[in-house]
Amino acid sequence: MAGTGKILITGATGNVGSAVLDNLTATDDIDLRALAYDESKANSLMDRGVEEAVVGDLLEPETLGPALQGVSALLLITPIHPEQVTQATNVIEVAKESGNDPRIVRLSVHQASHEAPARNSRQHAQIEDELISSGLPYTFLRPTTFMQNTLITARTVASEARIYQPFEDGRLGMIDARDIGEVAAKVLTEEGHEGKAYTLTGPAAITFYDVAQALSEVLGKEVSYIPIPLERAKGAMLNMGLSEWRAEVLIEYAKAHREGYSNFTTEDVEQLTAHPATSYKAFATDYAQVFRGA
């Protein structure tokens, strides 16, 4: 392990943050702290085995000092949000001012670039630039789309045996967030990852027809994939309560995925964890009860 210093996790209640906690709380000698948005989330994190949960707001840097105090490594996760760059920059600046020079493991996105087709990926490129220029030691984790995102289809899979998504026949090297969590835990607790970037994918680039086939095999019923127009998908997102900004981000990604943006895989997960990345069928098996509507 990299040492016995304190590790801070932001975004600890999300898909990846939760997976990281599952890995780190299973080890007795990890000094772990999580940043929570409010007291109720802080209490729930401590119930999960986090030794210390500190309340703070990424958009209010004056609240972040206590969270960074004494920290030697930090997992920086920010949500898809219009002010994501400000959120991340606030953490980086407070980390610099802390005097600890913590190693920052940044959860970025694959192909983060100022020319990326989605504004979220362009934001991540800005954040990567900020972190590089900060002078702090860093590692970038750049995952593809999460398999957990397909759980949004569980209701119609259970009730209609259908998946409605706007990806046409685009292939995505989607990854199980639990694999990202395992990689992040390893990078946070080992030396030798400073200045590196890992692109994290699943074992295969698959279409939603493949997703439907895997669910058919796991659930024992025929599940069909019905491609829908981008406009219909955006309307459904807005009806679900997503903001216009977030819905537009997801449509930007959907359009890019249609055009082959995520049609690739890497071996980074296997090289870092010494086991293959989780297949979609294995993921679907683990979440079968969700897809059955239970």
Side-chain angles (χ1 to χ4, degrees), residues 13-20 22 143-154 165 172-182 202 206 208 211 246 278-280 282-284 286-287 290-291:
T13 58
N15 283 319
V16 174
S18 293
V20 175
D22 287 341
T144 52
T145 299
F146 303 166
M147 292 179 182
Q148 278 75 3
N149 292 347
T150 67
L151 294 173
I152 198 171
T153 70
Q165 287 292 302
L172 296 81
M174 62 177 74
I175 184 171
D176 189 332
R178 295 174 296 180
D179 287 341
I180 307 171
E182 184 178 353
I206 61 175
F208 268 81
V211 169
R246 186 182 179 96
T278 303
S279 69
Y280 189 81
F283 168 84
D286 289 345
Y287 287 87
V290 179
F291 286 109

Side-chain angles (χ1 to χ4, degrees), residues 2-290:
T4 58
K6 188 179 292 292
I7 295 174
L8 173 67
I9 309 296
T10 73
T13 58
N15 283 319
V16 174
S18 293
V20 175
L21 292 184
D22 287 341
N23 282 272
L24 294 180
T25 56
T27 305
D28 292 334
D29 58 350
I30 299 292
D31 188 2
L32 188 59
R33 177 187 290 161
L35 179 69
Y37 184 72
D38 56 37
E39 289 290 348
S40 64
K41 289 187 176 181
N43 291 333
S44 69
L45 288 167
M46 287 190 288
D47 289 342
R48 289 193 54 187
V50 177
E51 294 180 9
E52 183 184 7
V54 178
V55 175
D57 188 331
L58 298 182
L59 287 174
E60 298 179 7
E62 66 275 11
T63 69
L64 301 176
L68 271 296
Q69 185 176 5
V71 167
S72 63
L74 158 67
L75 177 62
L76 178 54
I77 301 175
T78 49
I80 297 177
H81 189 278
E83 296 183 88
Q84 180 176 197
V85 175
T86 300
Q87 292 175 326
T89 300
N90 285 342
V91 175
I92 294 167
E93 289 300 319
V94 175
K96 285 171 59 179
E97 294 167 2
S98 71
N100 306 328
D101 290 336
R103 297 185 301 116
I104 298 184
V105 178
R106 168 62 183 165
L107 184 67
S108 187
V109 293
H110 74 91
Q111 302 177 85
S113 164
H114 295 287
E115 293 75 41
R119 68 194 73 178
N120 181 62
S121 293
R122 298 192 292 272
Q123 286 179 319
H124 279 284
Q126 288 181 256
I127 294 166
E128 289 191 3
D129 289 347
E130 291 287 342
L131 187 47
I132 291 170
S133 65
S134 73
L136 296 171
Y138 65 86
T139 306
F140 295 132
L141 304 182
R142 297 171 174 162
T144 52
T145 299
F146 303 166
M147 292 179 182
Q148 278 75 3
N149 292 347
T150 67
L151 294 173
I152 198 171
T153 70
R155 182 180 61 82
T156 58
V157 168
S159 62
E160 304 175 35
R162 290 182 173 181
I163 297 170
Y164 300 95
Q165 287 292 302
F167 300 103
E168 295 183 338
D169 59 355
R171 292 185 174 275
L172 296 81
M174 62 177 74
I175 184 171
D176 189 332
R178 295 174 296 180
D179 287 341
I180 307 171
E182 184 178 353
V183 168
K186 187 177 184 69
V187 171
L188 283 164
T189 56
E190 286 185 352
E191 299 286 0
H193 300 285
E194 291 81 359
K196 295 184 178 179
Y198 300 113
T199 298
L200 308 177
T201 75
I206 61 175
T207 68
F208 268 81
Y209 293 107
D210 297 320
V211 169
Q213 179 61 36
L215 289 171
S216 297
E217 295 172 5
V218 168
L219 301 177
K221 66 178 185 180
E222 184 176 353
V223 177
S224 300
Y225 166 45
I226 312 298
I228 62 173
L230 294 171
E231 296 76 13
R232 178 179 170 187
K234 182 179 178 181
M237 294 176 199
L238 295 175
N239 288 337
M240 291 170 56
L242 269 67
S243 69
E244 179 83 17
W245 190 91
R246 186 182 179 96
E248 288 177 355
V249 168
L250 298 179
I251 291 301
E252 289 167 354
Y253 275 129
K255 184 178 180 182
H257 295 326
R258 286 180 170 193
E259 298 169 356
Y261 184 63
S262 298
N263 184 11
F264 70 94
T265 62
T266 73
E267 297 181 355
D268 285 4
V269 169
E270 184 167 2
Q271 290 174 351
L272 288 162
T273 65
H275 66 74
T278 303
S279 69
Y280 189 81
K281 186 173 182 180
F283 168 84
T285 300
D286 289 345
Y287 287 87
Q289 289 302 103
V290 179

